[in-house]
Structure formats: structure tokens, C-alpha cells
Amino acid sequence: MSVSWSRTRTVGRTEIRRRWRVIKANTAQLISIGLMCLFFLPGVLAILAGAYFGGSALRAGDLATPAATVREIAVTLWLFAAVFGGFRGYSSLLEPDCRDGLLTTISHRQLVAGLLLAEAAAFGLPIGLVAAAAGVAFALGSGSALAAPAILVAIGLLVSTGFLTGLAVVLVFKNGGVRSRLLSRLRTVVFVALFLVYMSVIVTNSFGALLDPFYLLLTPTPIGWVGELALLSTAASGSPLLAGSGLVVSIVGLGLSGPVVSRLTAWLWYADGLEPRETDTAPTTAEGSRLSRLLPQPIAGVVAVDWTRARRAPISLSYAVYPLFLLITPVIQTIEAGTVGSGFPLLVAVCGVWITGALFTLNVVGNEGSVLPSTLLAPDPGRAIIGGHIAAGTLVGLPATAAAVALLGVLSPQPLWAVATLTLGSLLLVVAAAAIATGIGAALPRYEAVSVSRSRKAIVPSTLAFLLYSIVIGLVSLPLVVGHSHIIASAVTSTLGLPRTGLALAGLVVSTVLAASCGLVSVLYARRRVDRFQFD
């Protein structure tokens, strides 16, 4: 079946309408997109200003190496387009709604063409408008009217070829994942490694060091040569041969990328996939047997199921890492200063407590999903479900939080006795946080799956549960934080004459009493809700 413009337009228009309905139905996503547009507005103004002043500097001859500069700019645009294309390909572009049904009525080439048209309309048009405005600004600065169309053509070729290249790379990896069991298992490891690299680049502010190898490799290629189109349109010296060669190669590559992407997509969509093997269930069985030695069998079974779900679909627990973003700025400050501040262990302790409680216990009933009926038919389901979810989070969060708080406390200016009491308080609050979350999750459950990414859905705790849980954890942790805060302790000591040791112990005792009381009430309520659960 050949690709026709009318079918491509229909598929693209339908995809755009579907995306708009999804966005419009999610108020939070709609607000986030609006805020993102406001966030990018200063960047757009900076691009226009840079284009104008860059053209002025080029006309004035202030640029020592104009060819090298425009080549690096061209490579940067191409790289960002490739990264964005890879992100779109992995997140949602290659997983359209009702894909199997669409492939029974139209060819894969037609569907790919329609999806790319939707991408061009959603992202290409805004980029094209910014590119056109940047071309006009560069033309005004350089004093050459030909610079505007030259800039527009160069940006268009760089962005489109970079996007399709990133999409093709993701297709290669996806094809390997659906055919190789080893690559499929290593997928999570690869993305964790990429995330760590990304965070290290942000923390160390080493974008230049990351891009330098790409500049060295790509500036002498047609990708860099395309940037010299901007020079040929002005009075600056540029190589017509290299600019023309880059233009021709980019156009030819753009033409060839369509069949390549189409073929790779067909291999992915029509692949049979990997057949499950009996050995795939062996780790869960072995894990359950080890846990049964430490915990009662029903509770050990719930723990094993929680850990297995987390291992197979880690994105379903992505909400639990939100507090880690609060640590980005302190981590950067710690690396820059070379020392650990006295308040950093406190922040790590609170984040560890919050994460542990939110991992598996903030939606104790909804987390069961389709197996909830069979779970409720088991003997004493409340004890098994509540105890199992608490144990699943505590066994992971308790050692990690204790180790992080103790290590950072020793490296910080805090005295050793304060490190000991803070670590002890963190251990107690970690256990209590998981218990506190059970009652909140039972009172404010969520049973339906929601989108956790562009193409993934999972059952996550409700927004009200998040809000109430955060408030309660903040209140029960406040005495411990106040008692170990160097600033507050100094003020209280100088005002009331209370020794800092007494203040820290008082904070530990008050937080422990509050956490234990809230945790006990929460567990009893959650167990009662589970035991008396009725389906509508």
C-alpha cells in the first residue's frame, strides 16, 4: 500500500486531536505545559538576541574564527534534535493508541508518516517560527537579507535530520530489546546509567566537557558544513564547496531517513517478541523462600510480590523519588565546597523517611490491582497486606536511610552524639512512616491506572494521599529536625540555657512519640478497612 498525502494528513490530524483530548482531560498536565511555555520564553528571547548580536559581530569582524563558531552551533543544534528525537521515540511516538487496529487498515509506512506529520505540527511549527525569527534577527544584525532564508534552511535541515537520527537509534535499541533477552534485562541498567550521567553533568556543570568530543568528531562532517550557509549569505568568508556539500548531503540523508525509519519501525511493530520462560519465575520463588525464614509466609509473599513488581516495572514507583530533587542543590553546594554542611544530613533523613513510607504503603488496597479479590479471600488479609507492604518498604528504606544519615553526619560538623541520635531517630521514623502511610492510603485509595509517562500507565497513590502524607510526615519529623538543627539549637541554647544535648534528645523523644501514635492509629484503621472491604 503506497503512502498518500490524504491518508497521512488524516492520521496526523487524528493523532493531534487525540493528544489534545488527553492533555485537556488532565488539568495538571495542561498547567505544566503552560508553565513550560513560560519557562522557554526567556530562552527564545535569548536566542533572538544572540542571533542579532552574532550577526552584528560577524559584520564588524569581531569573530576570530567564524567558520568554527557556526560549525559548533550547527553541531549543537543537531545533537539536541537527536536527543529529543530519541526521547520522543522511546517515550510515546512509537507506541500510538490502537496500533494493532490501525495496522490492519493502513500500512506501517502510512502510520509512520502520519505520526511524523503530527510531530512536525506539534514541535516543528514552533521551532520553525523561532528559526524564522532568528533568521530575521541575524539578517538585521549582519545587514544581509539572504541570511534569513539561509538560517531557516540550515536550522530546518539540522533539526529534521537530527530528530530522525535519534529516532532511528532508539528503533535499533528497541528492536534489539524485543529479540534479545539479555538486552531486555539490561534496559533498566542502561537507563539508570544514563540518568546518573545526566545528573553528574548537571551537578558538575560539565556540559562543555561532554560536548567537546562531539565537536571534534562532527564539525568536520556535513553536519558542521551546513552551518556555513550562514556565512555564505553574508560578507564573511565561507567555503561554498563545503556549504553546498553539506546542503546536498543533508537533503539526501533526509530523503533516505524515511525508508530507514519505516523499515526499522516495521521490524519493531511486527516482531513476535520474547516468549516467557519458566526460569523467569525462579527469582521470585527463591526470593520468597528467603523472606519466609524471616517473616510469616503471608507477609513474605506480599513483600516478594512488591519487590517483583518494582523490579519489572520500576517506573511505577517513580513518584517515590520526587524528594530526591530537593537534594540536587545541596549536593551541588557540597561538591563545590568540598565539605558536608550541618543541615545536609537532616534533609537526607527527612527525604529517606518520606520515600520509605511512600514506596509500597501509600496505596495499600489499590496496589493489589486485579489480584485484590483473591488477596481479600486469604485468611486474615489485613495482617498480610498491611504487614507485607510495611515490610517491603522498610527492608529497603531503613538500611539505606540509616547508612546515608550516619555517613553524612560523620562527614559533617555535627558532633558524634548528634549523629548517633539523628541516625536513631531516622530509623524509628522510617518504620513509623511506612505505618503512617497505610492508613492514609486506605482512606484515600486509587484503583485506576494513571499515566506516569507518555506511554506508560500505573496505579499510583492519589494526590490527596500524597498531600496528607507529606503534611503528617513533616509534622512528626519537625521535632527531630529542630532538635538537631545547628542554627535553632544555638538560638535555644543562648536564650533558654538548655543544653544542645537535651534539646536533641527532647526532639528525638517527641518525634518518636508522635510517629508511634500516628503509626499505630494508622495501621489499626488500615487493617480494619482491608478486613471490611466490600466491592461496589
Side-chain angles (χ1 to χ4, degrees):
M1 185 183 296
S2 61
V3 178
S4 67
W5 167 247
S6 60
R7 296 192 190 99
T8 301
R9 185 177 55 187
T10 301
V11 173
R13 184 170 60 246
T14 303
E15 177 66 15
I16 292 175
R17 288 177 177 175
R18 185 196 65 80
R19 294 181 187 181
W20 172 243
R21 285 198 299 267
V22 171
I23 295 174
K24 188 169 60 174
N26 192 336
T27 306
Q29 187 176 4
L30 191 62
I31 294 174
S32 65
I33 291 176
L35 294 176
M36 188 180 299
C37 293
L38 294 177
F39 176 78
F40 280 118
L41 184 59
V44 172
L45 297 178
I47 290 174
L48 299 182
Y52 176 79
F53 290 113
S56 301
L58 189 64
R59 181 171 61 177
D62 295 336
L63 294 178
T65 55
T69 301
V70 295
R71 286 189 184 186
E72 289 186 357
I73 294 175
V75 170
T76 302
L77 285 174
W78 188 88
L79 287 175
F80 276 103
V83 171
F84 183 71
F87 169 76
R88 291 292 301 167
Y90 183 81
S91 61
S92 62
L93 180 59
L94 299 176
E95 300 293 337
D97 278 0
C98 305
R99 183 191 67 189
D100 295 339
L102 290 171
L103 292 176
T104 61
T105 57
I106 58 176
S107 66
H108 68 275
R109 293 184 295 272
Q110 189 71 72
L111 181 55
V112 170
L115 294 175
L116 291 178
L117 178 62
E119 288 292 295
F123 300 103
L125 286 179
I127 293 175
L129 292 175
V130 175
V136 172
F138 185 80
L140 292 175
S142 62
S144 173
L146 294 177
I151 292 292
L152 181 60
V153 170
I155 294 178
L157 288 174
L158 291 169
V159 171
S160 57
T161 55
F163 182 89
L164 292 175
T165 300
L167 184 61
V169 171
V170 167
L171 280 167
V172 171
F173 280 100
K174 277 182 168 287
N175 275 286
V178 298
R179 290 170 172 83
S180 170
R181 199 174 301 274
L182 176 62
L183 292 178
S184 178
R185 290 179 174 178
L186 292 177
R187 179 175 55 187
T188 302
V189 178
V190 171
F191 281 98
V192 169
L194 290 177
F195 177 77
L196 293 177
V197 171
Y198 171 74
M199 293 303 300
S200 65
V201 170
I202 293 180
V203 170
T204 59
N205 196 21
S206 56
F207 286 99
L210 179 66
L211 294 176
D212 284 341
F214 292 100
Y215 290 150
L216 183 64
L217 180 65
L218 298 178
T219 49
T221 66
I223 298 174
W225 298 345
V226 174
E228 296 203 19
L229 288 174
L231 298 180
L232 293 180
S233 61
T234 63
S237 59
S239 173
L241 178 60
L242 293 181
S245 300
L247 180 64
V248 172
V249 172
S250 297
I251 293 175
V252 172
L254 188 61
L256 295 177
S257 61
V260 172
V261 169
S262 177
R263 174 51 55 190
L264 291 173
T265 306
W267 289 347
L268 176 65
W269 286 348
Y270 296 127
D272 292 332
L274 297 173
E275 293 292 334
R277 299 185 305 186
E278 294 182 1
T279 55
D280 291 342
T281 60
T284 301
T285 305
E287 190 174 75
S289 63
R290 288 192 296 267
L291 289 172
S292 62
R293 301 171 189 170
L294 303 174
L295 302 170
Q297 183 58 42
I299 295 178
V302 174
V303 174
V305 170
D306 281 343
W307 289 357
T308 301
R309 288 174 178 171
R311 184 173 62 248
R312 293 177 178 175
I315 196 171
S316 62
L317 298 178
S318 58
Y319 61 86
V321 301
Y322 290 160
L324 295 181
F325 291 100
L326 299 176
L327 301 178
I328 294 178
T329 300
V331 168
I332 295 176
Q333 294 174 349
T334 301
I335 293 176
E336 291 178 347
T339 57
V340 178
S342 59
F344 192 33
L346 298 176
L347 185 58
V348 171
V350 175
C351 290
V353 169
W354 193 98
I355 291 173
T356 302
L359 273 176
F360 303 107
T361 51
L362 200 51
N363 194 21
V364 288
V365 180
N367 280 341
E368 298 300 309
S370 59
V371 301
L372 179 59
S374 59
T375 304
L376 294 176
L377 291 176
D380 198 3
R383 177 175 178 269
I385 293 178
I386 303 303
H389 289 316
I390 291 176
T394 303
L395 290 175
V396 175
L398 191 145
T401 303
V405 172
L407 177 61
L408 293 173
V410 171
L411 297 177
S412 71
Q414 294 272 11
L416 292 180
W417 61 264
V419 176
T421 54
L422 177 61
T423 304
L424 177 60
S426 301
L427 292 175
L428 297 174
L429 290 183
V430 161
V431 179
I436 291 171
T438 57
I440 297 174
L444 302 169
R446 171 177 277 166
Y447 304 104
E448 69 280 359
V450 297
S451 297
V452 293
S453 69
R454 293 287 185 178
S455 60
R456 300 291 181 89
K457 287 188 175 183
I459 300 177
V460 300
S462 63
T463 304
L464 290 178
F466 274 124
L467 181 61
L468 182 58
Y469 170 72
S470 301
I471 293 175
V472 174
I473 292 299
L475 291 177
V476 299
S477 302
L478 184 61
L480 181 67
V481 174
V482 170
H484 290 80
S485 173
H486 179 72
I487 298 177
I488 298 178
S490 300
V492 172
T493 301
S494 60
T495 304
L496 303 178
L498 182 67
R500 187 180 175 187
T501 307
L503 181 62
L505 291 176
L508 172 62
V509 171
V510 173
S511 285
T512 302
V513 172
L514 289 176
S517 303
C518 295
L520 179 60
V521 173
S522 184
V523 167
L524 293 177
Y525 173 78
R527 185 170 178 176
R528 179 183 176 186
R529 284 294 302 267
V530 172
D531 290 336
R532 300 184 180 183
F533 185 86
Q534 294 181 350
F535 291 96
D536 295 333

